[in-house]
Amino acid sequence: QVQLVESGGGLVQAGGSLSLSCAASGSIFIINAMGWYRQAPGKQRELVATITSGGSTNYAESVKGRFTISRDNAKNTVYLQMNSLKPEDTAVYYCNIRRIPPLGLADYYWGQGTQVTVSS
């Protein structure tokens, strides 16, 4: 099994910054992609940013230029630096990994979620 432990998040005023981290442990084998998703009250979970093992990144249009995703492959950890935060960024943020096990198809794991609240 794989465990994902998230840290960071909290309450910040609009225009402020927060950083999130997510460390993977357990039967990791190979982690292909890592990413962050978020879910606001009453809304569906949406992609925030992803990063491949090679460092290629993908961002939601709403966070481009404000958020930066990075990863430390040696530590199996993914980070999300969030700058110029807006009230509409308020949500529970979840990390996600795509794992490649030795045999079989790729599978996915989710973190427990961490609350990010941006006050106006």
Side-chain angles (χ1 to χ4, degrees):
Q1 281 295 338
V2 175
Q3 295 79 42
L4 300 179
V5 178
E6 300 176 12
S7 60
L11 173 64
V12 66
Q13 288 187 332
S17 299
L18 284 173
S19 62
L20 306 179
S21 65
C22 174
S25 63
S27 302
I28 296 173
F29 301 113
I30 297 173
I31 297 177
N32 185 347
M34 307 181 83
W36 292 94
Y37 293 71
R38 66 186 182 187
Q39 187 167 17
K43 295 187 177 181
Q44 290 188 332
R45 191 172 298 188
E46 63 177 5
L47 179 145
V48 176
T50 61
I51 184 168
T52 68
S53 56
S56 297
T57 58
N58 180 50
Y59 294 93
E61 285 295 327
S62 60
V63 306
K64 279 184 179 178
R66 300 187 298 121
F67 291 11
T68 302
I69 189 171
S70 61
R71 64 187 283 176
D72 184 332
N73 291 330
K75 295 181 179 180
N76 295 312
T77 300
V78 62
Y79 307 94
L80 185 68
Q81 177 63 41
M82 304 181 290
N83 299 327
S84 303
L85 283 161
K86 305 175 181 179
E88 50 264 43
D89 294 319
T90 296
V92 177
Y93 284 68
Y94 299 89
C95 72
N96 172 273
I97 67 167
R98 182 176 185 267
R99 185 187 70 148
I100 310 295
L103 297 173
L105 299 176
D107 50 17
Y108 298 83
Y109 291 87
W110 292 93
Q112 79 280 6
T114 185
Q115 178 70 45
V116 171
T117 303
V118 184
S119 62
S120 57

